[in-house]
Amino acid sequence: MILYAQQLIYFALFFVVFVLAVWALGDAMTRPTGAFTSAGKRTKNFWLLLTGAATAVAFVAIPAPLGLGLLSFLALGAAVAAIVYLVDVRPAIRPYSGRRGGRGKGPGGRTPPRGGW
């Protein structure tokens, strides 16, 4: 019983690392190239290569029911790459992305009305 719980937790941790890496890669692909250099970060190609490699390593490291279970010791590096992108780079390039909506616009995430009375 405990063995199954340990295997489930082990699988869940590796799956979370994979999801984080896919999220970081997807976000990096949708951002404009100029946003990275405008924010003072490395180039878009660098982050695409790093998060792409992190995604591949994280997928290979997922245990046997879904992945291959190989190179599991490298999953820590994949997690670090994805987390650095999501925590440091993504917030820095967000203002330069040219996207509208979401957070920081006003109360409740809405754009405040323009004009007077």
Side-chain angles (χ1 to χ4, degrees):
M1 183 69 153
I2 293 177
L3 176 65
Y4 294 121
Q6 288 175 335
Q7 288 176 342
L8 183 64
I9 291 170
Y10 186 71
F11 176 78
L13 289 174
F14 279 96
F15 190 73
V16 166
V17 170
F18 175 67
V19 169
L20 283 175
V22 168
W23 180 22
L25 177 62
D27 188 75
M29 286 193 296
T30 61
R31 301 293 175 173
T33 305
F36 290 86
T37 53
S38 295
K41 301 297 177 182
R42 291 197 171 240
T43 64
K44 180 177 181 174
N45 288 335
F46 172 82
W47 286 107
L48 286 175
L49 182 66
L50 189 66
T51 56
T55 302
V57 167
F59 177 73
V60 171
I62 293 175
L66 185 61
L68 300 174
L70 303 173
L71 304 173
S72 61
F73 63 95
L74 293 178
L76 180 61
V80 168
I83 290 170
V84 165
Y85 176 82
L86 292 171
V87 172
D88 181 44
V89 178
R90 184 173 183 256
I93 64 174
R94 183 179 288 158
Y96 302 100
S97 297
R99 291 184 179 177
R100 287 217 182 268
R103 306 170 69 177
K105 293 291 185 182
R110 294 181 304 249
T111 304
R114 296 187 183 239
W117 293 83

Coordinates of all heavy atoms in Angstrom, one line a residue, residues 11 14-15 18 56-71:
F11 N 5.4 9.8 -9.5 CA 4.8 10.1 -10.8 C 4.3 11.5 -10.8 O 4.5 12.2 -11.8 CB 3.7 9.1 -11.1 CG 3.1 9.3 -12.4 CD1 3.7 9.0 -13.6 CD2 1.8 9.9 -12.5 CE1 3.1 9.3 -14.8 CE2 1.2 10.2 -13.7 CZ 1.8 9.9 -14.8
F14 N 7.0 14.2 -11.1 CA 7.6 14.3 -12.4 C 6.6 14.9 -13.5 O 7.0 15.6 -14.4 CB 8.2 12.9 -12.9 CG 9.5 12.6 -12.3 CD1 9.6 11.9 -11.2 CD2 10.7 13.1 -12.9 CE1 10.8 11.6 -10.6 CE2 11.9 12.8 -12.3 CZ 12.0 12.1 -11.2
F15 N 5.4 14.5 -13.3 CA 4.4 15.0 -14.2 C 4.2 16.6 -14.0 O 4.0 17.3 -15.0 CB 3.0 14.3 -14.0 CG 2.0 14.6 -15.0 CD1 2.1 14.1 -16.3 CD2 0.9 15.5 -14.8 CE1 1.2 14.4 -17.3 CE2 0.0 15.8 -15.7 CZ 0.2 15.2 -17.0
F18 N 6.9 18.2 -15.9 CA 6.7 18.2 -17.3 C 5.6 19.3 -17.7 O 5.8 20.0 -18.7 CB 6.2 16.8 -17.7 CG 5.7 16.8 -19.1 CD1 6.7 16.9 -20.2 CD2 4.4 16.6 -19.5 CE1 6.3 16.8 -21.5 CE2 4.0 16.5 -20.8 CZ 4.9 16.6 -21.8
A56 N 11.7 18.3 -23.2 CA 12.1 17.0 -23.6 C 12.6 16.1 -22.5 O 12.3 14.9 -22.3 CB 13.1 17.1 -24.8
V57 N 13.5 16.7 -21.7 CA 14.1 16.0 -20.6 C 13.0 15.6 -19.5 O 13.0 14.5 -19.0 CB 15.2 16.8 -19.9 CG1 15.6 16.3 -18.5 CG2 16.4 16.9 -20.8
A58 N 12.1 16.5 -19.3 CA 11.0 16.3 -18.3 C 10.1 15.1 -18.8 O 9.7 14.3 -18.0 CB 10.2 17.5 -18.1
F59 N 9.9 15.1 -20.1 CA 9.0 14.0 -20.7 C 9.7 12.6 -20.6 O 9.1 11.6 -20.2 CB 8.7 14.2 -22.1 CG 7.9 13.1 -22.7 CD1 6.6 12.9 -22.4 CD2 8.5 12.2 -23.6 CE1 5.8 11.9 -22.9 CE2 7.7 11.2 -24.2 CZ 6.4 11.0 -23.8
V60 N 11.0 12.6 -20.9 CA 11.8 11.4 -20.8 C 11.9 10.9 -19.3 O 12.0 9.7 -19.1 CB 13.2 11.6 -21.4 CG1 14.1 10.4 -21.2 CG2 13.0 11.8 -22.9
A61 N 11.9 11.8 -18.4 CA 12.1 11.5 -17.0 C 10.8 11.0 -16.3 O 10.8 10.4 -15.2 CB 12.6 12.7 -16.2
I62 N 9.6 11.2 -17.0 CA 8.4 10.7 -16.4 C 8.4 9.2 -16.2 O 8.8 8.5 -17.1 CB 7.2 11.1 -17.2 CG1 7.0 12.6 -17.2 CG2 5.9 10.5 -16.7 CD1 5.9 13.1 -18.1
P63 N 8.0 8.6 -15.1 CA 8.1 7.2 -14.9 C 7.3 6.4 -15.9 O 6.4 6.9 -16.6 CB 7.6 7.0 -13.4 CG 7.8 8.3 -12.8 CD 7.6 9.3 -13.9
A64 N 7.4 5.1 -15.8 CA 7.0 4.2 -16.9 C 5.5 4.2 -17.3 O 5.3 4.0 -18.5 CB 7.4 2.8 -16.4
P65 N 4.5 4.4 -16.5 CA 3.2 4.3 -17.1 C 3.0 5.3 -18.3 O 2.2 5.0 -19.2 CB 2.3 4.7 -15.9 CG 3.0 4.4 -14.7 CD 4.5 4.6 -15.1
L66 N 3.6 6.5 -18.2 CA 3.4 7.5 -19.3 C 4.6 7.8 -20.0 O 4.6 8.0 -21.3 CB 2.8 8.8 -18.6 CG 2.4 9.9 -19.6 CD1 1.3 9.4 -20.5 CD2 1.9 11.1 -18.8
G67 N 5.8 7.9 -19.4 CA 7.0 8.2 -20.0 C 8.0 7.0 -20.0 O 7.6 5.9 -19.9
L68 N 9.3 7.4 -20.2 CA 10.3 6.3 -20.3 C 11.0 6.1 -18.9 O 11.5 5.0 -18.7 CB 11.3 6.7 -21.3 CG 10.8 6.9 -22.7 CD1 11.9 7.5 -23.6 CD2 10.3 5.7 -23.3
G69 N 11.0 7.0 -18.0 CA 11.6 6.9 -16.7 C 13.1 7.0 -16.8 O 13.8 6.5 -15.9
L70 N 13.7 7.5 -17.9 CA 15.1 7.7 -18.0 C 15.6 9.1 -17.6 O 14.8 10.0 -17.7 CB 15.5 7.4 -19.5 CG 15.1 6.1 -20.0 CD1 15.4 6.0 -21.5 CD2 15.8 4.9 -19.3
L71 N 16.8 9.2 -17.3 CA 17.4 10.5 -16.9 C 16.6 11.3 -15.9 O 16.5 12.5 -15.9 CB 17.5 11.4 -18.2 CG 18.2 10.8 -19.4 CD1 18.1 11.7 -20.6 CD2 19.7 10.6 -19.1

